[in-house]
Amino acid sequence: MTTSIEKQSGKAGARLAVLTSGGDAPGMNAALRAVVRVGAARGFEVFGVQHGFSGLIAGELRPLGPRDVGGIIERGGTLLGSARCAALKTEAGQLEALAQLQRRGIEHLVVIGGNGSQTGAWALARRGLAVAGVASTIDNDLPGSDITIGCTTAVDVALESVDRLRTTASSQGRVFLVEVMGRDCGYLALQVGIASGAELIVTPEASLSAEAVAAGIREAYGRGKSHAIIVVAEGASLDAEALAKRLAELQQLQPQTPLGFELRVCRLGHVQRGGAPGAVDRLLGTRLGAAAVDCLAEGVGGMLLGQIGGRLARTPLAEVAGSTKAPDPALLELARTLAL
Ligand code: F6P
């Protein structure tokens, strides 16, 4: 029986491939599930590509039906596997990716990923492929969406760790430099810092010198705090290790002005990308995955699907490719005020 949805889209028999690319993010599976199931409902034959664009170039595609994506909405990572792909930056790589699709009669592609992945998506869209991007990265540095899939869960995971670090920090009278991911963007660090009540937050956009951090630690000690938490973005001019080293040097140069606390470093690293997606990322992934299929079913390619002001948004991949989004200046300002 033909459903009203199939009649609407008229895509019966058309083929669509989906891949996850770049850094995996909790909620990618929810997006994948939505692409497969909404794709089937709109009449597409759906194919999953293993290991991102590298798998596409190598021809690692298999049919995916609604039953293949059962039981994955609650799982972190990505069922399809993901990878970063240097070959897609070359003409030869792009032509081979298109050839692999053409050989199978696939005319549509959904790319679930962040910055580099959407730049790759645009490269294929420019060559005539109907591509839809789904905004997914824990870094939340992608233009075209207020929030990207995986970011909210990554913030929650980091927060749980910082809460635990606070317990031991206060028991031992220590200051912890906690490094969070985010590549060149300070959004994750800001969110984690504000939500954990960190004494200081160091980001690429609001950098602090080691001298300013030392002064902040001394002030916290002087105000009678039992410990201090400093959240450092990995992309800050001094990462947590480098900052700790510089603080130790400053201590040697100025032994008469002690920090007050012993110093420890904790780099959260890839822990932030792991684990089950929270409700926000499951819902966002589902919504954006479904919207990507709808966009292609309408015959509109070359768009990134995101959420702006709580609504679904389509932004041309041409505008997204190669650009990044900085954190809201108001958030930066708030973080500065709270650091007092
Ligand atoms: O883009 C997501 C991200 O987790 C960044 O925060 C981090 O800088 C990078 O990926 C790490 O990449 P990889 O997993 O390749 O080491």
Side-chain angles (χ1 to χ4, degrees):
M1 196 184 89
T2 310
T3 66
S4 57
I5 295 169
E6 283 169 66
K7 274 187 213 140
Q8 226 179 45
S9 67
K11 285 292 172 190
R15 293 184 162 184
L16 176 155
V18 54
L19 61 82
T20 50
S21 164
D24 50 279
M28 271 184 162
N29 275 330
L32 172 64
R33 174 178 175 270
V35 169
V36 172
R37 292 194 173 168
V38 175
R42 302 293 189 264
F44 284 105
E45 248 184 90
V46 182
F47 291 75
V49 183
Q50 296 290 137
H51 310 121
F53 288 112
S54 303
L56 179 56
I57 291 169
E60 296 176 45
L61 287 87
R62 63 181 159 114
L64 276 186
R67 294 283 65 74
D68 295 318
V69 290
I72 66 166
I73 195 168
E74 71 275 28
R75 279 165 47 191
T78 156
L79 176 79
L80 291 176
S82 191
R84 303 194 192 277
C85 177
L88 196 79
K89 293 183 184 151
T90 67
E91 184 180 12
Q94 292 166 18
L95 293 178
E96 185 52 32
L98 293 175
Q100 291 288 358
L101 294 171
Q102 263 162 16
R103 251 170 246 150
R104 294 167 177 81
I106 299 171
E107 297 152 334
H108 307 84
L109 177 68
V110 176
V111 174
I112 303 170
N115 232 290
S117 309
Q118 301 309 338
T119 303
W122 172 233
L124 299 185
R126 283 178 75 174
R127 294 183 182 275
L129 185 69
V131 185
V134 171
S136 173
T137 163
I138 65 164
D139 301 338
N140 196 29
D141 61 348
L142 193 60
S145 197
D146 291 341
I147 187 80
T148 50
I149 297 167
C151 180
T152 308
T153 303
V155 169
D156 280 337
V157 170
L159 262 185
E160 194 191 329
S161 301
V162 176
D163 289 348
R164 286 169 194 259
L165 289 172
R166 199 180 271 291
T167 313
T168 174
S170 73
S171 305
Q172 305 279 341
R174 287 175 172 163
V175 53
F176 267 85
L177 302 181
V178 189
E179 185 177 299
V180 301
M181 278 189 164
R183 203 175 286 277
D184 299 321
C185 175
Y187 183 86
L188 265 180
L190 278 172
Q191 296 286 104
V192 172
I194 291 171
S196 66
E199 275 63 32
L200 288 173
I201 306 170
V202 186
T203 69
E205 301 83 6
S207 212
L208 288 176
S209 65
E211 288 76 6
V213 172
I217 295 172
R218 282 190 211 103
E219 280 164 26
Y221 184 74
R223 287 201 299 273
K225 296 211 175 199
S226 63
H227 66 286
I229 297 287
I230 301 179
V231 175
V232 184
E234 65 173 351
S237 54
L238 289 176
D239 66 17
E241 282 291 352
L243 186 54
K245 194 162 166 252
R246 186 74 193 114
L247 287 170
E249 286 166 3
L250 287 177
Q251 281 299 278
Q252 284 196 333
L253 291 171
Q254 305 162 342
Q256 69 285 4
T257 52
L259 289 179
F261 300 116
E262 256 190 76
L263 188 74
R264 290 288 186 275
V265 175
C266 179
R267 189 166 179 252
L268 296 183
H270 291 80
V271 163
Q272 290 153 98
R273 288 218 315 244
V280 170
D281 285 318
R282 295 183 198 195
L283 294 168
L284 184 65
T286 300
R287 200 175 180 209
L288 299 190
V293 174
D294 283 339
C295 198
L296 293 174
E298 281 172 30
V300 179
M303 291 288 169
L304 176 82
L305 282 301
Q307 184 175 283
I308 297 179
R311 292 177 178 275
L312 283 172
R314 294 177 181 179
T315 305
L317 282 169
E319 286 175 24
V320 171
S323 38
T324 53
K325 176 184 71 182
D328 182 353
L331 205 58
L332 287 168
E333 194 46 47
L334 178 61
R336 275 197 200 100
T337 310
L338 293 172
L340 284 176

